[in-house]
Each structure stands twice: as structure tokens, then as C-alpha cells.
Amino acid sequence: MARESRKSTTRFNWRLMAGLTGLGVVCVSTAMAGFKVRHFMNTDPEFTLSRDRKDALTVEGLKYASRSKVQRVFAADFDHSIFSVPLAERRRRLLALDWVADAAVSRVWPDRLVVRVTERKPVAFVFFRSGVLLIDARGVLLEPPAQAQFAFPVLSGIREDQAEDMRREHVRTFLRLMEELGYLAKDVSEVDAANPDDIRIVAQVDGRAVTLMLGDTNFARRYQNFLNHYPEIRKRSPAVKTFDLRLDEQITVKER
């Protein structure tokens, strides 16, 4: 009985060793095959991103972002296989470019790359000593593109040295105001959102620029109430251009 047990154990060991050996051979073969495939895809001329082909690198979605800057991100990839291009790294570099909010980079068989860019959308102008910039809903500052025309109000209360999250909060306040004003926002030329509890606007009313202190709520109702009474106010105080509307249904003339 002991002999039979030893024979059984021996047969089991041989089967285990044979199985492990077979598994090892399969793993090595798979690894070798994978290596050969990668080597082939990285070296075969069929997959080369050619400088001579105009559509080798296709960039979509650009309006204001610099096409030359986007193309320079991929300068080192020409004359190499598209499968050697580190897509995640190229996307990271694209996201660092001015006006680029998001980007996707795809390989197109057998030898092309396609870049799809989503641009940032400016919402206002900001004035600094260094010049005029645009700002988007995330508080990101943007260089105005050459020959582009925008009809945005000025957002004041933004500093160039502010952290992006601080600028973002000011922009959120600005957007909340503009959304509540609705169609009335068309005559607003400037918004001071430095203090979210004391928002001020400059609006064109009857051909004059007036400064209105709106507070932190009921913007549309306070503004509309002012417009309803402004003809009478202008007759009584023609020189006054600043008004306090922070109390509902009340308009206070601010003499200077």
C-alpha cells in the first residue's frame, strides 16, 4: 500500500512539473510574440508619422488657440511610429496651452494622429496694468487673439496675482448676476465683483453711464425698478450718476 502511495505521488509530481513547464513555455511564447508585435509596430515604415503627408497630423476644434503651438507639441513624433507616441504626455502638454480647455489625441491606422481640442470660452474682459486679457468661467486668464472681436463686459475686482480659485469665485458671482439679469444684461458694460456682498455695475441708461450698487441679491428686480423710475430721477438730479439700490424698492442718490 505504501508503494502505491509513492507511485501515485510520483505520477502527481511529474504531472505538476509537466503542467508548469507547459505554462512557462506558453508565457514565454506569448511574451516573445508581444515583443515582436511591438517591435514591428514601432519600426515598420507603414506606421511612420510622415512630414510629407499633409494630413499626418490632423487638428480639429481650433478657433482661437494657436495651431502652430499645438503642432509643436508633436514635433518630435514625426519620422517615428505613431505607436511610439506617448498619448497621455502629449495631452498633458496640450492642456498647458493657452485657450485649450480639453484635448484628446487618437491614433488612426496606419500612420496618422488626430487631435481634438475643446477651447475655453471667455465670459468677460479684465483690465490690468500689463494690458487687457479675457477670462473664462474657470477663472483662467486668456490672451485676446489677434483680429478677434468680443462683446463682453469688463469684470473688475480681479487681480493678476490672484490665485486661480479666487478668480473663479469672482467669475461665478459675475455669471450669477448676468444670468439673473437676463435680457437686461445687454446694457451692462462693467461688473465689480470684488465684494460678492456688494456687487456694483456700470450700465448704459438713456445714453448715460450710471453706476448701480446692487448688493448681493434680487439683481433683476432692483435694476428693473431703477429703470422704471430713472426718467423721473434724471429730471430731479440730472448730474447724479451713482445710485444705491441695495434695499428693495428703494433708490438712494449718491452725491459726490
Side-chain angles (χ1 to χ4, degrees):
M1 187 136 182
R3 273 182 204 169
E4 291 180 2
S5 177
R6 283 196 296 272
K7 289 181 181 179
S8 176
T9 301
T10 302
R11 286 196 298 270
F12 174 77
N13 289 340
W14 275 107
R15 288 175 183 173
L16 178 61
M17 290 179 63
L20 291 175
T21 300
L23 180 61
V25 170
V26 170
C27 290
V28 170
S29 299
T30 302
M32 289 296 294
F35 173 78
K36 289 181 179 179
V37 169
R38 286 195 299 273
H39 180 73
F40 172 71
M41 295 172 69
N42 285 329
T43 58
D44 192 281
E46 182 180 3
F47 307 119
T48 297
L49 189 69
S50 174
R51 297 180 186 275
D52 300 327
R53 181 171 176 174
K54 291 184 178 180
D55 64 344
L57 176 64
T58 302
V59 182
E60 302 174 353
L62 294 187
K63 186 175 182 181
Y64 301 119
S66 169
R67 182 172 296 274
S68 62
K69 289 183 179 179
V70 171
Q71 291 172 335
R72 280 201 294 272
V73 169
F74 299 90
D77 299 319
F78 284 96
D79 300 327
H80 294 83
S81 170
I82 63 170
F83 296 101
S84 67
V85 178
L87 300 187
E89 171 61 17
R90 296 297 179 261
R91 178 177 181 271
R92 185 191 66 78
R93 290 181 58 188
L94 288 170
L95 294 178
L97 296 179
D98 199 26
W99 283 91
V100 176
D102 198 4
V105 185
S106 305
R107 299 182 181 97
V108 179
W109 185 274
D111 58 355
R112 296 177 55 226
L113 292 177
V114 174
V115 180
R116 295 177 176 86
V117 172
T118 302
E119 292 190 332
R120 296 188 180 278
K121 297 179 179 180
V123 296
F125 286 105
V126 288
F127 288 176
F128 301 123
R129 290 184 179 179
S130 60
V132 180
L133 297 178
L134 293 160
I135 192 168
D136 76 350
R138 300 287 298 172
V140 176
L141 299 174
L142 305 167
E143 288 283 349
Q147 300 179 344
Q149 295 184 345
F150 299 97
F152 296 126
V154 174
L155 175 57
S156 57
I158 299 286
R159 299 196 316 274
E160 200 167 7
D161 61 348
Q162 274 181 326
E164 190 173 297
D165 58 342
M166 290 292 294
R167 294 198 301 265
R168 187 181 305 125
E169 289 302 316
H170 290 314
V171 175
R172 284 177 180 170
T173 300
F174 163 81
L175 292 176
R176 179 169 64 91
L177 164 75
M178 300 300 280
E179 182 179 9
E180 184 173 329
L181 288 181
Y183 74 95
L184 296 174
K186 63 181 174 50
D187 294 321
V188 175
S189 59
E190 183 176 348
V191 175
D192 184 348
N195 182 355
D197 297 322
D198 185 18
I199 300 174
R200 305 181 181 210
I201 67 172
V202 176
Q204 299 295 320
V205 182
D206 287 351
R208 301 178 70 195
V210 296
T211 300
L212 307 177
M213 304 162 64
L214 295 177
D216 62 352
T217 189
N218 296 333
F219 306 124
R221 186 168 72 182
R222 292 172 181 179
Y223 186 24
Q224 185 63 66
N225 181 59
F226 172 79
L227 294 177
N228 294 340
H229 292 87
Y230 184 64
E232 180 183 349
I233 295 171
R234 185 170 183 178
K235 289 179 182 179
R236 295 201 313 264
S237 307
V240 177
K241 296 184 180 180
T242 302
F243 303 89
D244 188 344
L245 314 182
R246 288 175 291 184
L247 296 178
D248 290 335
E249 309 302 328
Q250 183 173 320
I251 301 170
T252 303
V253 173
K254 304 294 288 185
E255 301 283 355
R256 287 189 177 181

mmCIF file of all heavy atoms in Angstrom, residues 150-181:
data_model
loop_
_atom_site.group_PDB
_atom_site.id
_atom_site.type_symbol
_atom_site.label_atom_id
_atom_site.label_comp_id
_atom_site.label_asym_id
_atom_site.label_seq_id
_atom_site.Cartn_x
_atom_site.Cartn_y
_atom_site.Cartn_z
ATOM 1 N N PHE A 150 -14.782 90.631 -29.487
ATOM 2 C CA PHE A 150 -15.697 90.114 -28.475
ATOM 3 C C PHE A 150 -16.519 91.261 -27.905
ATOM 4 O O PHE A 150 -16.037 92.398 -27.819
ATOM 5 C CB PHE A 150 -14.925 89.436 -27.338
ATOM 6 C CG PHE A 150 -14.088 88.260 -27.774
ATOM 7 C CD1 PHE A 150 -12.734 88.404 -28.030
ATOM 8 C CD2 PHE A 150 -14.665 87.011 -27.930
ATOM 9 C CE1 PHE A 150 -11.961 87.334 -28.426
ATOM 10 C CE2 PHE A 150 -13.900 85.924 -28.326
ATOM 11 C CZ PHE A 150 -12.548 86.089 -28.570
ATOM 12 N N ALA A 151 -17.741 90.968 -27.521
ATOM 13 C CA ALA A 151 -18.614 91.975 -26.924
ATOM 14 C C ALA A 151 -18.953 91.547 -25.502
ATOM 15 O O ALA A 151 -20.081 91.165 -25.199
ATOM 16 C CB ALA A 151 -19.886 92.146 -27.755
ATOM 17 N N PHE A 152 -17.952 91.597 -24.631
ATOM 18 C CA PHE A 152 -18.134 91.215 -23.237
ATOM 19 C C PHE A 152 -18.047 92.443 -22.337
ATOM 20 O O PHE A 152 -17.347 93.410 -22.669
ATOM 21 C CB PHE A 152 -17.055 90.220 -22.802
ATOM 22 C CG PHE A 152 -17.082 88.915 -23.520
ATOM 23 C CD1 PHE A 152 -15.938 88.444 -24.159
ATOM 24 C CD2 PHE A 152 -18.228 88.145 -23.569
ATOM 25 C CE1 PHE A 152 -15.948 87.235 -24.825
ATOM 26 C CE2 PHE A 152 -18.245 86.926 -24.236
ATOM 27 C CZ PHE A 152 -17.104 86.476 -24.862
ATOM 28 N N PRO A 153 -18.705 92.407 -21.189
ATOM 29 C CA PRO A 153 -18.474 93.468 -20.204
ATOM 30 C C PRO A 153 -17.114 93.295 -19.538
ATOM 31 O O PRO A 153 -16.473 92.240 -19.661
ATOM 32 C CB PRO A 153 -19.610 93.258 -19.190
ATOM 33 C CG PRO A 153 -19.991 91.832 -19.329
ATOM 34 C CD PRO A 153 -19.739 91.445 -20.760
ATOM 35 N N VAL A 154 -16.699 94.328 -18.857
ATOM 36 C CA VAL A 154 -15.451 94.283 -18.090
ATOM 37 C C VAL A 154 -15.761 93.748 -16.695
ATOM 38 O O VAL A 154 -16.731 94.186 -16.055
ATOM 39 C CB VAL A 154 -14.816 95.679 -17.985
ATOM 40 C CG1 VAL A 154 -13.602 95.658 -17.057
ATOM 41 C CG2 VAL A 154 -14.423 96.179 -19.372
ATOM 42 N N LEU A 155 -14.970 92.814 -16.233
ATOM 43 C CA LEU A 155 -15.095 92.301 -14.868
ATOM 44 C C LEU A 155 -13.975 92.908 -14.035
ATOM 45 O O LEU A 155 -12.802 92.589 -14.233
ATOM 46 C CB LEU A 155 -15.005 90.780 -14.854
ATOM 47 C CG LEU A 155 -15.012 90.106 -13.475
ATOM 48 C CD1 LEU A 155 -16.261 90.480 -12.682
ATOM 49 C CD2 LEU A 155 -14.887 88.599 -13.615
ATOM 50 N N SER A 156 -14.316 93.806 -13.142
ATOM 51 C CA SER A 156 -13.311 94.410 -12.275
ATOM 52 C C SER A 156 -13.306 93.711 -10.919
ATOM 53 O O SER A 156 -14.198 92.914 -10.603
ATOM 54 C CB SER A 156 -13.574 95.913 -12.106
ATOM 55 O OG SER A 156 -14.867 96.142 -11.586
ATOM 56 N N GLY A 157 -12.292 94.007 -10.119
ATOM 57 C CA GLY A 157 -12.134 93.303 -8.851
ATOM 58 C C GLY A 157 -11.232 92.091 -8.964
ATOM 59 O O GLY A 157 -11.024 91.364 -7.995
ATOM 60 N N ILE A 158 -10.696 91.847 -10.177
ATOM 61 C CA ILE A 158 -9.775 90.739 -10.421
ATOM 62 C C ILE A 158 -8.348 91.282 -10.428
ATOM 63 O O ILE A 158 -8.064 92.291 -11.065
ATOM 64 C CB ILE A 158 -10.054 90.070 -11.773
ATOM 65 C CG1 ILE A 158 -11.476 89.486 -11.803
ATOM 66 C CG2 ILE A 158 -9.027 88.991 -12.080
ATOM 67 C CD1 ILE A 158 -11.652 88.232 -10.991
ATOM 68 N N ARG A 159 -7.459 90.597 -9.703
ATOM 69 C CA ARG A 159 -6.045 90.988 -9.711
ATOM 70 C C ARG A 159 -5.237 89.928 -10.456
ATOM 71 O O ARG A 159 -5.531 88.742 -10.379
ATOM 72 C CB ARG A 159 -5.502 91.137 -8.290
ATOM 73 C CG ARG A 159 -6.198 92.188 -7.445
ATOM 74 C CD ARG A 159 -5.341 92.520 -6.213
ATOM 75 N NE ARG A 159 -4.785 91.346 -5.577
ATOM 76 C CZ ARG A 159 -5.421 90.605 -4.652
ATOM 77 N NH1 ARG A 159 -6.637 90.950 -4.277
ATOM 78 N NH2 ARG A 159 -4.834 89.546 -4.127
ATOM 79 N N GLU A 160 -4.203 90.398 -11.131
ATOM 80 C CA GLU A 160 -3.385 89.489 -11.926
ATOM 81 C C GLU A 160 -2.640 88.492 -11.052
ATOM 82 O O GLU A 160 -2.339 87.372 -11.484
ATOM 83 C CB GLU A 160 -2.400 90.301 -12.767
ATOM 84 C CG GLU A 160 -1.831 89.557 -13.952
ATOM 85 C CD GLU A 160 -1.124 90.477 -14.924
ATOM 86 O OE1 GLU A 160 -0.967 91.672 -14.614
ATOM 87 O OE2 GLU A 160 -0.724 89.994 -15.999
ATOM 88 N N ASP A 161 -2.332 88.868 -9.803
ATOM 89 C CA ASP A 161 -1.577 87.987 -8.916
ATOM 90 C C ASP A 161 -2.476 87.085 -8.074
ATOM 91 O O ASP A 161 -1.995 86.337 -7.227
ATOM 92 C CB ASP A 161 -0.675 88.810 -7.998
ATOM 93 C CG ASP A 161 -1.455 89.771 -7.097
ATOM 94 O OD1 ASP A 161 -2.668 89.967 -7.344
ATOM 95 O OD2 ASP A 161 -0.859 90.319 -6.149
ATOM 96 N N GLN A 162 -3.787 87.137 -8.288
ATOM 97 C CA GLN A 162 -4.702 86.289 -7.543
ATOM 98 C C GLN A 162 -4.565 84.830 -7.953
ATOM 99 O O GLN A 162 -4.265 84.520 -9.109
ATOM 100 C CB GLN A 162 -6.155 86.727 -7.781
ATOM 101 C CG GLN A 162 -6.639 87.832 -6.873
ATOM 102 C CD GLN A 162 -8.080 88.187 -7.160
ATOM 103 O OE1 GLN A 162 -8.527 88.136 -8.301
ATOM 104 N NE2 GLN A 162 -8.817 88.574 -6.136
ATOM 105 N N ALA A 163 -4.808 83.946 -7.005
ATOM 106 C CA ALA A 163 -4.843 82.518 -7.313
ATOM 107 C C ALA A 163 -6.052 82.232 -8.203
ATOM 108 O O ALA A 163 -7.063 82.933 -8.146
ATOM 109 C CB ALA A 163 -4.920 81.694 -6.030
ATOM 110 N N GLU A 164 -5.936 81.191 -9.003
ATOM 111 C CA GLU A 164 -6.996 80.880 -9.953
ATOM 112 C C GLU A 164 -8.318 80.585 -9.267
ATOM 113 O O GLU A 164 -9.393 80.955 -9.767
ATOM 114 C CB GLU A 164 -6.572 79.695 -10.823
ATOM 115 C CG GLU A 164 -7.475 79.429 -12.007
ATOM 116 C CD GLU A 164 -6.921 78.357 -12.911
ATOM 117 O OE1 GLU A 164 -5.835 78.585 -13.485
ATOM 118 O OE2 GLU A 164 -7.557 77.294 -13.044
ATOM 119 N N ASP A 165 -8.297 79.930 -8.100
ATOM 120 C CA ASP A 165 -9.554 79.624 -7.412
ATOM 121 C C ASP A 165 -10.243 80.880 -6.901
ATOM 122 O O ASP A 165 -11.482 80.951 -6.867
ATOM 123 C CB ASP A 165 -9.323 78.631 -6.270
ATOM 124 C CG ASP A 165 -8.327 79.141 -5.241
ATOM 125 O OD1 ASP A 165 -7.566 80.077 -5.555
ATOM 126 O OD2 ASP A 165 -8.300 78.609 -4.120
ATOM 127 N N MET A 166 -9.466 81.905 -6.537
ATOM 128 C CA MET A 166 -10.056 83.177 -6.114
ATOM 129 C C MET A 166 -10.704 83.877 -7.309
ATOM 130 O O MET A 166 -11.813 84.413 -7.209
ATOM 131 C CB MET A 166 -8.987 84.071 -5.498
ATOM 132 C CG MET A 166 -8.473 83.597 -4.158
ATOM 133 S SD MET A 166 -9.754 83.726 -2.873
ATOM 134 C CE MET A 166 -9.957 85.510 -2.793
ATOM 135 N N ARG A 167 -10.006 83.882 -8.437
ATOM 136 C CA ARG A 167 -10.595 84.475 -9.637
ATOM 137 C C ARG A 167 -11.867 83.725 -10.030
ATOM 138 O O ARG A 167 -12.856 84.333 -10.473
ATOM 139 C CB ARG A 167 -9.585 84.435 -10.791
ATOM 140 C CG ARG A 167 -8.357 85.305 -10.579
ATOM 141 C CD ARG A 167 -7.636 85.570 -11.893
ATOM 142 N NE ARG A 167 -7.190 84.358 -12.553
ATOM 143 C CZ ARG A 167 -5.976 83.844 -12.428
ATOM 144 N NH1 ARG A 167 -5.072 84.438 -11.651
ATOM 145 N NH2 ARG A 167 -5.643 82.744 -13.066
ATOM 146 N N ARG A 168 -11.842 82.404 -9.863
ATOM 147 C CA ARG A 168 -13.008 81.604 -10.221
ATOM 148 C C ARG A 168 -14.238 82.011 -9.403
ATOM 149 O O ARG A 168 -15.354 82.076 -9.935
ATOM 150 C CB ARG A 168 -12.696 80.122 -10.010
ATOM 151 C CG ARG A 168 -13.784 79.175 -10.510
ATOM 152 C CD ARG A 168 -13.412 77.727 -10.255
ATOM 153 N NE ARG A 168 -12.128 77.415 -10.841
ATOM 154 C CZ ARG A 168 -11.105 76.895 -10.183
ATOM 155 N NH1 ARG A 168 -11.226 76.626 -8.881
ATOM 156 N NH2 ARG A 168 -9.973 76.637 -10.785
ATOM 157 N N GLU A 169 -14.052 82.300 -8.126
ATOM 158 C CA GLU A 169 -15.176 82.722 -7.284
ATOM 159 C C GLU A 169 -15.751 84.050 -7.762
ATOM 160 O O GLU A 169 -16.968 84.242 -7.791
ATOM 161 C CB GLU A 169 -14.730 82.827 -5.823
ATOM 162 C CG GLU A 169 -14.466 81.485 -5.164
ATOM 163 C CD GLU A 169 -15.690 80.584 -5.194
ATOM 164 O OE1 GLU A 169 -16.809 81.089 -4.907
ATOM 165 O OE2 GLU A 169 -15.545 79.400 -5.525
ATOM 166 N N HIS A 170 -14.879 84.987 -8.155
ATOM 167 C CA HIS A 170 -15.364 86.271 -8.682
ATOM 168 C C HIS A 170 -16.149 86.064 -9.972
ATOM 169 O O HIS A 170 -17.181 86.710 -10.198
ATOM 170 C CB HIS A 170 -14.182 87.213 -8.927
ATOM 171 C CG HIS A 170 -13.534 87.706 -7.669
ATOM 172 N ND1 HIS A 170 -14.251 88.181 -6.591
ATOM 173 C CD2 HIS A 170 -12.226 87.825 -7.314
ATOM 174 C CE1 HIS A 170 -13.423 88.554 -5.636
ATOM 175 N NE2 HIS A 170 -12.191 88.344 -6.042
ATOM 176 N N VAL A 171 -15.662 85.172 -10.818
ATOM 177 C CA VAL A 171 -16.355 84.908 -12.079
ATOM 178 C C VAL A 171 -17.711 84.263 -11.810
ATOM 179 O O VAL A 171 -18.701 84.577 -12.487
ATOM 180 C CB VAL A 171 -15.499 84.021 -12.994
ATOM 181 C CG1 VAL A 171 -16.279 83.659 -14.260
ATOM 182 C CG2 VAL A 171 -14.213 84.734 -13.385
ATOM 183 N N ARG A 172 -17.787 83.376 -10.845
ATOM 184 C CA ARG A 172 -19.073 82.757 -10.512
ATOM 185 C C ARG A 172 -20.088 83.809 -10.068
ATOM 186 O O ARG A 172 -21.269 83.752 -10.433
ATOM 187 C CB ARG A 172 -18.874 81.718 -9.405
ATOM 188 C CG ARG A 172 -18.245 80.421 -9.877
ATOM 189 C CD ARG A 172 -18.015 79.474 -8.718
ATOM 190 N NE ARG A 172 -17.417 78.220 -9.150
ATOM 191 C CZ ARG A 172 -16.928 77.295 -8.337
ATOM 192 N NH1 ARG A 172 -16.972 77.493 -7.019
ATOM 193 N NH2 ARG A 172 -16.394 76.189 -8.805
ATOM 194 N N THR A 173 -19.625 84.758 -9.271
ATOM 195 C CA THR A 173 -20.508 85.848 -8.850
ATOM 196 C C THR A 173 -20.975 86.646 -10.052
ATOM 197 O O THR A 173 -22.156 86.992 -10.174
ATOM 198 C CB THR A 173 -19.766 86.772 -7.862
ATOM 199 O OG1 THR A 173 -19.367 86.014 -6.719
ATOM 200 C CG2 THR A 173 -20.652 87.921 -7.421
ATOM 201 N N PHE A 174 -20.050 86.950 -10.939
ATOM 202 C CA PHE A 174 -20.367 87.686 -12.165
ATOM 203 C C PHE A 174 -21.406 86.938 -13.003
ATOM 204 O O PHE A 174 -22.394 87.523 -13.476
ATOM 205 C CB PHE A 174 -19.072 87.902 -12.959
ATOM 206 C CG PHE A 174 -19.268 88.282 -14.390
ATOM 207 C CD1 PHE A 174 -19.556 89.590 -14.736
ATOM 208 C CD2 PHE A 174 -19.148 87.327 -15.400
ATOM 209 C CE1 PHE A 174 -19.736 89.947 -16.073
ATOM 210 C CE2 PHE A 174 -19.320 87.674 -16.725
ATOM 211 C CZ PHE A 174 -19.614 88.986 -17.060
ATOM 212 N N LEU A 175 -21.207 85.642 -13.198
ATOM 213 C CA LEU A 175 -22.120 84.852 -14.022
ATOM 214 C C LEU A 175 -23.500 84.739 -13.377
ATOM 215 O O LEU A 175 -24.525 84.732 -14.079
ATOM 216 C CB LEU A 175 -21.536 83.465 -14.271
ATOM 217 C CG LEU A 175 -20.279 83.427 -15.149
ATOM 218 C CD1 LEU A 175 -19.729 82.010 -15.238
ATOM 219 C CD2 LEU A 175 -20.566 83.966 -16.546
ATOM 220 N N ARG A 176 -23.531 84.634 -12.053
ATOM 221 C CA ARG A 176 -24.824 84.590 -11.355
ATOM 222 C C ARG A 176 -25.603 85.883 -11.588
ATOM 223 O O ARG A 176 -26.814 85.869 -11.837
ATOM 224 C CB ARG A 176 -24.593 84.358 -9.860
ATOM 225 C CG ARG A 176 -25.863 84.312 -9.014
ATOM 226 C CD ARG A 176 -25.563 83.813 -7.611
ATOM 227 N NE ARG A 176 -24.693 84.716 -6.885
ATOM 228 C CZ ARG A 176 -25.143 85.723 -6.106
ATOM 229 N NH1 ARG A 176 -26.451 85.934 -5.987
ATOM 230 N NH2 ARG A 176 -24.287 86.485 -5.452
ATOM 231 N N LEU A 177 -24.900 86.999 -11.506
ATOM 232 C CA LEU A 177 -25.536 88.291 -11.757
ATOM 233 C C LEU A 177 -26.066 88.371 -13.187
ATOM 234 O O LEU A 177 -27.234 88.729 -13.415
ATOM 235 C CB LEU A 177 -24.520 89.407 -11.533
ATOM 236 C CG LEU A 177 -24.877 90.784 -12.108
ATOM 237 C CD1 LEU A 177 -25.936 91.452 -11.250
ATOM 238 C CD2 LEU A 177 -23.652 91.666 -12.226
ATOM 239 N N MET A 178 -25.220 88.031 -14.167
ATOM 240 C CA MET A 178 -25.617 88.157 -15.568
ATOM 241 C C MET A 178 -26.781 87.226 -15.908
ATOM 242 O O MET A 178 -27.677 87.585 -16.680
ATOM 243 C CB MET A 178 -24.426 87.870 -16.481
ATOM 244 C CG MET A 178 -23.240 88.812 -16.276
ATOM 245 S SD MET A 178 -23.653 90.549 -16.569
ATOM 246 C CE MET A 178 -23.595 90.586 -18.370
ATOM 247 N N GLU A 179 -26.765 86.038 -15.318
ATOM 248 C CA GLU A 179 -27.867 85.099 -15.563
ATOM 249 C C GLU A 179 -29.173 85.638 -15.003
ATOM 250 O O GLU A 179 -30.224 85.545 -15.650
ATOM 251 C CB GLU A 179 -27.548 83.741 -14.941
ATOM 252 C CG GLU A 179 -28.630 82.696 -15.186
ATOM 253 C CD GLU A 179 -28.290 81.348 -14.592
ATOM 254 O OE1 GLU A 179 -27.302 81.261 -13.838
ATOM 255 O OE2 GLU A 179 -29.028 80.391 -14.866
ATOM 256 N N GLU A 180 -29.140 86.218 -13.807
ATOM 257 C CA GLU A 180 -30.367 86.739 -13.212
ATOM 258 C C GLU A 180 -30.879 87.969 -13.965
ATOM 259 O O GLU A 180 -32.089 88.151 -14.112
ATOM 260 C CB GLU A 180 -30.149 87.104 -11.743
ATOM 261 C CG GLU A 180 -31.441 87.551 -11.066
ATOM 262 C CD GLU A 180 -31.297 87.765 -9.576
ATOM 263 O OE1 GLU A 180 -30.480 87.066 -8.960
ATOM 264 O OE2 GLU A 180 -32.010 88.636 -9.037
ATOM 265 N N LEU A 181 -29.971 88.784 -14.459
ATOM 266 C CA LEU A 181 -30.396 89.976 -15.197
ATOM 267 C C LEU A 181 -31.052 89.612 -16.524
ATOM 268 O O LEU A 181 -31.915 90.339 -17.021
ATOM 269 C CB LEU A 181 -29.204 90.893 -15.460
ATOM 270 C CG LEU A 181 -28.638 91.644 -14.253
ATOM 271 C CD1 LEU A 181 -27.486 92.534 -14.686
ATOM 272 C CD2 LEU A 181 -29.711 92.479 -13.554
#
